[in-house]
Amino acid sequence: MKEDVRKGRRLIHGLYAGLILAVSSVPGSDLPEATGLVPDKAVHFAEYCLLGLLGGWAYPTDKRKLWLLLLFGLGFAGLDEIWQSCVPQRKSEWLDFLADVAGHLVGVLTALFLLRRPG
């Protein structure tokens, strides 16, 4: 893969991680009212699944980098929840963290599966 393409993919991954932190920085009073149509944990799962997909797409799939990417997801999810606890009218939840980590894992593994498929 060309280095320019690899850098572009990594930039997209990093920008999306920044977007997650930006949304986590919004005070609770400025967030829209939950409608109940989509469970909160499903939103966490989906947001981190996309982060995992982008990470799996951005980085080579050798085993060492795979483990680093999975550790990144674990650490980033933890830091995101800690960060939210510092934002007014937001709170950190253990189940949100678990949904984040599960989503990231599924996203990374899905990206690896799709990238290794022939064709």
Side-chain angles (χ1 to χ4, degrees):
M1 179 184 327
K2 292 185 178 181
E3 189 60 29
D4 290 342
V5 172
R6 190 172 294 143
K7 285 181 182 179
R9 290 178 178 185
R10 290 176 180 172
L11 177 63
I12 292 168
H13 181 246
L15 288 173
Y16 183 71
L19 177 64
I20 289 173
L21 290 179
V23 171
S24 293
S25 300
V26 175
S29 60
D30 293 341
L31 292 173
E33 288 291 321
T35 62
L37 296 176
V38 179
D40 175 56
K41 303 312 176 247
V43 173
H44 280 268
F45 183 89
E47 133 184 86
Y48 274 80
C49 188
L50 180 55
L51 183 67
L53 282 167
L54 291 172
W57 179 61
Y59 294 92
T61 57
D62 65 65
K63 286 184 181 183
R64 182 174 173 263
K65 289 192 175 157
L66 171 62
W67 284 111
L68 289 175
L69 184 59
L70 293 174
L71 285 174
F72 165 78
L74 182 72
F76 189 78
L79 288 173
D80 183 30
E81 288 302 314
I82 291 169
W83 173 248
Q84 281 185 47
S85 71
C86 299
V87 176
Q89 300 166 340
R90 298 287 297 264
K91 60 184 178 174
S92 176
E93 292 186 25
W94 178 248
L95 290 177
D96 287 350
F97 169 75
L98 291 178
D100 294 344
V101 170
H104 188 263
L105 177 63
V106 168
V108 168
L109 294 177
T110 300
L112 294 178
F113 172 77
L114 292 174
L115 290 172
R116 290 188 179 169
R117 289 180 52 195

